[in-house]
Amino acid sequence: MGLVFAVAQAKVLVLDEDNFEHLTQASSGATTGHHFVKFYAPWCGHCKKLEPTWEALDKELEELNDLAVVIGKVDATKNANLAKLYEVKGYPTLLMFSQGKLISYKGPRDLPSLLEFCRGGFKEEGKYDKRDVPKPKSFIEKELETVIADLDNLWRFKKAALGVTFTLGIFIGTFLGGFCCARCSQPQQNNNKLKSS
């Protein structure tokens, strides 16, 4: 029984920050099909309760030979940037990525309802909340965000250390500046003595 569950579990596409855009083409709306993705937290009771239904949904679509929708999942606790990008605020969050659109599923979480949604229900106009898929951040945007967050963290939690560092920097800068200026002006004084003799 454990082996069967492990095999079934492997069929749901496991997505993370490294493979999400490549496998889903979510932001470009390219031709990789529709992806129904569960954002979950391993500790969440609702997520644990949904897991067998999510696996059964994948299996049912495969048995119906309806492979137009790929069932996937993202551990939002390990992929916080994805959760933030897609505005995941609670667990589990179920999102359909289809042709550059993000469709938020808020219906019943039983197999027949999820199956109906996957087999075309998500295409019904006005029934579900649809919006454009946000573009993933570039490497530079991510790094800049990290630097700003680090500086903000330092400012919030280490104000005293920053004050001491800043004061020490001014003191050392003034000392070195005065020392260098004094050294630079000495040769001129020696040259002036030589000229007057």
Side-chain angles (χ1 to χ4, degrees):
M1 183 77 170
L3 179 62
V4 173
F5 179 72
V7 171
Q9 189 175 21
K11 289 188 177 192
V12 171
L13 185 61
V14 177
L15 299 163
D16 58 31
E17 290 172 2
D18 294 328
N19 68 8
F20 191 91
E21 184 61 28
H22 175 72
L23 294 176
T24 66
Q25 300 289 307
S27 66
S28 70
T31 59
T32 60
H34 313 289
H35 290 77
F36 194 25
V37 180
K38 172 181 74 167
F39 287 82
Y40 72 97
W43 47 260
C44 167
H46 296 292
C47 300
K48 290 176 183 177
K49 184 178 176 186
L50 179 62
E51 185 66 19
T53 306
W54 202 247
E55 300 291 337
L57 176 63
D58 180 63
K59 185 176 180 188
E60 187 76 21
L61 287 171
E62 184 180 349
E63 286 176 4
L64 292 170
N65 205 20
D66 187 348
L67 303 177
V69 175
V70 176
I71 304 300
K73 63 183 180 178
V74 173
D75 181 345
T77 63
K78 292 181 180 175
N79 299 281
N81 290 332
L82 278 178
K84 183 178 178 183
L85 179 65
Y86 298 119
E87 299 175 7
V88 173
K89 303 211 183 330
Y91 304 118
T93 295
L94 307 179
L95 301 174
M96 175 70 77
F97 296 87
S98 176
Q99 300 172 340
K101 297 289 183 195
L102 184 128
I103 302 134
S104 183
Y105 180 80
K106 299 198 188 295
R109 295 184 178 172
D110 57 81
L111 185 57
S113 300
L114 292 169
L115 196 55
E116 179 188 333
F117 178 75
C118 287
R119 297 199 72 203
F122 68 91
K123 296 177 183 176
E124 294 179 30
E125 289 300 321
K127 189 171 181 180
Y128 297 100
D129 183 29
K130 294 181 183 181
R131 60 189 167 99
D132 289 335
V133 174
K135 302 290 182 208
K137 293 182 180 173
S138 70
F139 175 77
I140 292 173
E141 289 172 320
K142 288 178 191 175
E143 291 303 312
L144 185 60
E145 214 173 66
T146 302
V147 168
I148 290 170
D150 287 347
L151 289 173
D152 183 52
N153 187 31
L154 275 173
W155 179 250
R156 256 191 280 147
F157 300 110
K158 310 287 185 194
K159 285 181 185 173
L162 278 176
V164 168
T165 304
F166 182 74
T167 305
L168 191 58
I170 289 176
F171 175 73
I172 291 172
T174 304
F175 174 76
L176 288 175
F179 180 75
C180 287
C181 286
R183 299 273 300 162
C184 291
S185 64
Q186 283 180 354
Q188 285 182 337
Q189 291 173 353
N190 291 338
N191 285 341
N192 290 340
K193 287 181 186 177
L194 290 172
K195 287 181 185 177
S196 59
S197 3

